Amino acid sequence: MSKIDNLRKPKWVLVTGGSHGIGRALSLECVKQGLGVAIVALPNEDLRHMEEELAGIPGAAYLTLGLNLVGEGAIAKILDWLSEASLKPTYLINNAGFGRGGLFENTTWGEYRTMMQLNNQVMVELTYALLPILKETQGGVLNMSSVEATLPLPYKTVYTGTKAFVYNYSLALREEFRYYDISVSVLCPGPVITNEDGLKRVKAMGTLAKIAVTMPEDLAPEAINGMLNGKAVIRPGFLVKLMAFLGKLFPRPIKLRLLEKIFSKYREEDVAVAEPVE
Ligand SMILES: NC(=O)c1ccc[n+]([C@@H]2O[C@H](COP(=O)([O-])OP(=O)(O)OC[C@H]3O[C@@H](n4cnc5c(N)ncnc54)[C@H](OP(=O)(O)O)[C@@H]3O)[C@@H](O)[C@H]2O)c1
């Protein structure tokens, strides 16, 4: 779906997972700042709601594509879609991703595999495929990591692993892309309430989470301004900055033992029977 009248807007942002949660808030903030948004997300109710929401914003320029990013040929489909609309994004927001909390063995291998594909492989592949366009438009890339990337978190092992990849990959890529005048920023939010898993985590953390938790709309302006200003690491909000600072202050063995204790409620879970790895 698109608002064709507005396709002539000068700068466009391609946002993955822009139909819900943080991606939705980032997309709406882009629109607020006069940018056009090209949203790729799963073809379902969330995307339809987002289309309705965008249609109701006067002057909003948008384009949507319902697509499973981990499906066969997804990146090629995005390139075709952009080409058909003659659209060359200035910015790329690699936001789509998900995590699971709990005992390591309680997430299925299939889910871990999809998590690693979506959180890491899709991000790299999309950036790789879009690079010729980004070299032309000379904008920037915003990659979604998490404050958890640099902790890291027991009981969220694979997720924090994927986010540590995003963090290091983004900082390294930033230095390479300097030569092309393309900025690379990495966004490291704290806990944001967007879905069931977030709620589960808040319950597991108790009072601590109630203090630390934010809503997607709260972090979007700082995130988008950081991207537009080419900031390297964006840690939205005072508490996230404090968490990152404290994380560096504590010696690693003490920090990890403490984090394990905070999240040890997950040990009360029943251990699932692991599905066989194909
Ligand atoms: N929430 C937090 O506490 C938090 C903190 C730090 C970092 N992050 C990161 O921020 C990003 C967004 O998280 P969120 O909490 O906003 O998640 P969310 O509310 O679940 O939204 C994720 C978005 O990605 C889309 N999506 C999921 N799988 C997809 C696929 N295979 N193909 C295409 N689109 C797909 C979703 O579509 P549907 O809505 O249709 O499923 C949705 O639009 C993730 O990378 C996450 O790791 C989250």
Side-chain angles (χ1 to χ4, degrees):
M1 190 189 247
S2 68
K3 215 172 216 180
I4 303 289
D5 292 353
N6 290 313
L7 283 178
R8 268 180 258 278
K9 287 248 174 167
K11 286 187 179 173
W12 280 78
V13 188
L14 175 60
V15 188
T16 65
S19 65
H20 192 263
I22 301 173
R24 173 184 162 273
L26 295 177
S27 301
L28 292 174
E29 181 61 28
C30 286
V31 169
K32 204 170 155 190
Q33 300 219 17
L35 298 156
V37 284
I39 292 172
V40 182
L42 289 171
N44 60 20
E45 271 303 292
D46 285 338
L47 189 58
R48 279 189 288 281
H49 283 150
M50 188 62 183
E51 285 164 351
E52 282 166 21
E53 198 168 2
L54 288 165
I57 301 173
Y62 64 91
L63 201 65
T64 60
L65 176 67
L67 181 77
N68 182 356
L69 283 158
V70 296
E72 189 71 31
I75 305 300
K77 284 176 192 158
I78 295 175
L79 291 186
D80 288 347
W81 169 66
L82 291 174
S83 163
E84 271 166 32
S86 306
L87 203 151
K88 293 185 176 180
T90 306
Y91 294 95
L92 166 63
I93 301 183
N94 284 306
N95 160 77
F98 73 97
R100 291 280 173 264
L103 293 174
F104 173 73
E105 62 268 47
N106 275 0
T107 295
T108 63
W109 164 243
E111 243 185 326
Y112 277 144
R113 187 178 42 208
T114 308
M115 193 190 298
M116 291 186 280
Q117 278 174 345
L118 186 61
N119 296 8
N120 297 149
Q121 193 179 312
V122 166
M123 171 178 293
V124 176
E125 197 182 345
L126 187 54
T127 307
Y128 193 86
L130 220 67
L131 185 56
I133 294 177
L134 293 173
K135 279 182 179 175
E136 239 181 86
T137 54
Q138 293 191 331
V141 180
L142 177 66
N143 289 335
M144 179 60 83
S145 181
S146 162
V147 75
E148 296 170 5
T150 49
L151 289 175
L153 275 193
Y155 306 108
K156 253 196 144 178
T157 52
V158 177
Y159 176 72
T160 48
T162 65
K163 293 301 173 182
F165 172 93
V166 174
Y167 184 81
N168 286 309
Y169 156 77
S170 303
L171 291 181
L173 197 66
R174 178 180 174 85
E175 295 309 310
E176 275 196 45
F177 279 15
R178 266 183 205 287
Y179 288 86
Y180 310 137
D181 278 330
I182 301 169
S183 73
V184 179
S185 306
V186 60
L187 181 58
C188 301
V192 187
I193 297 292
T194 56
N195 53 37
E196 280 301 308
D197 197 67
L199 270 176
K200 196 174 155 192
R201 195 162 29 132
V202 168
K203 281 179 191 153
M205 281 178 78
T207 320
L208 202 65
K210 288 192 188 100
I211 301 166
V213 109
T214 51
M215 298 308 285
E217 305 69 56
D218 300 333
L219 64 86
E222 195 174 341
I224 296 304
N225 288 332
M227 175 186 84
L228 296 176
N229 292 320
K231 202 171 174 198
V233 181
I234 306 162
R235 294 191 176 92
F238 170 74
L239 274 169
V240 174
K241 290 177 185 71
L242 183 69
M243 273 196 266
F245 174 74
L246 292 175
K248 280 185 204 156
L249 214 64
F250 279 91
R252 193 178 55 204
I254 299 172
K255 180 178 75 177
L256 283 171
R257 208 49 60 82
L258 258 172
L259 288 168
E260 193 280 325
K261 289 281 167 275
I262 292 170
F263 288 94
S264 60
K265 276 216 166 104
Y266 282 122
R267 296 221 73 86
E268 292 164 15
E269 284 181 359
D270 290 332
V271 175
V273 179
E275 67 157 26
V277 176
E278 290 152 32

